[in-house]
Amino acid sequence: MRRSNSSLNMLGLYTLTRREQKRFTAVWTQTILAPLVSAALFLTVFSFVLADREVEIGALDYTLFVAPGILTMTIIQHSFANTSSSILISKVQGNIVDTLVTPLRPIEVVMGYMIGGMSRGVIVSVSIMIVIFPFIGLYPQNPVVLFIFILLASS
């Protein structure tokens, strides 16, 4: 029986996405904890360097102004790093053939890698918002818009 061209291979897409998620959660100290520490260090350095200058942007403290930028930088950097490193490591190790010979169309392969990268970006951003943002007093006013922004930044 032949598969329709309009339907996605949902099982294959799920399997590739799940493989990507397992790949970055297996080394969570490098893929989730390290960006959290890095963002905390960025905020600490910027806060200490500019603390004596009393820099304010409008009515905001400089730390509150720069924190969303650091969050965005982290989301973009790590969602891209997930997909690019996965493809590159598969090529270097010689197991990219395992992905290429599967009955997945190119759009399904791209979506699988993209969803895996997006999930890493979302997990990293949520961990930053839960751990770091309360210490600086930054709370989202509209969580739905923030979540949409995180999804768009990580895609």
Side-chain angles (χ1 to χ4, degrees):
M1 185 169 170
R2 188 175 174 137
R3 182 170 51 123
S4 167
N5 285 338
S6 63
S7 66
L8 287 175
N9 180 356
M10 296 304 285
L11 179 61
L13 178 62
Y14 172 77
T15 303
L16 181 59
T17 303
R18 188 74 182 132
R19 183 190 79 180
E20 287 299 301
Q21 290 174 343
K22 283 185 177 184
R23 190 184 70 81
F24 78 80
T25 55
V27 287
W28 66 272
T29 55
Q30 297 172 5
T31 57
I32 299 168
L33 184 63
L36 182 64
V37 171
S38 178
L41 288 173
F42 269 118
L43 283 172
T44 304
V45 167
F46 284 134
S47 297
F48 281 127
V49 167
L50 298 170
D52 59 343
R53 297 183 187 173
E54 301 205 12
V55 177
E56 288 188 6
I57 311 295
L60 290 177
D61 183 35
Y62 186 75
T63 306
L64 295 177
F65 176 76
V66 80
I70 291 172
L71 177 68
T72 306
M73 176 191 71
T74 305
I75 293 169
I76 293 170
Q77 182 180 13
H78 291 282
S79 61
F80 175 78
N82 191 70
T83 54
S84 62
S85 67
S86 180
I87 293 170
L88 186 65
I89 289 170
S90 293
K91 184 179 183 321
V92 169
Q93 291 177 343
N95 60 6
I96 196 162
V97 175
D98 297 340
T99 304
L100 296 177
V101 298
T102 58
L104 293 173
R105 294 184 302 188
I107 188 68
E108 295 163 347
V109 173
V110 169
M111 286 177 60
Y113 281 117
M114 185 180 80
I115 294 169
M118 288 175 68
S119 62
R120 180 175 169 187
V122 168
I123 290 172
V124 167
S125 64
V126 168
S127 66
I128 288 172
M129 288 188 298
I130 289 173
V131 174
I132 297 173
F133 280 13
F135 285 111
I136 61 173
L138 186 62
Y139 302 100
Q141 292 182 357
N142 195 339
V144 175
V145 173
L146 178 63
F147 185 70
I148 291 170
F149 170 76
I150 289 169
L151 285 179
L152 289 175
S154 64
S155 63

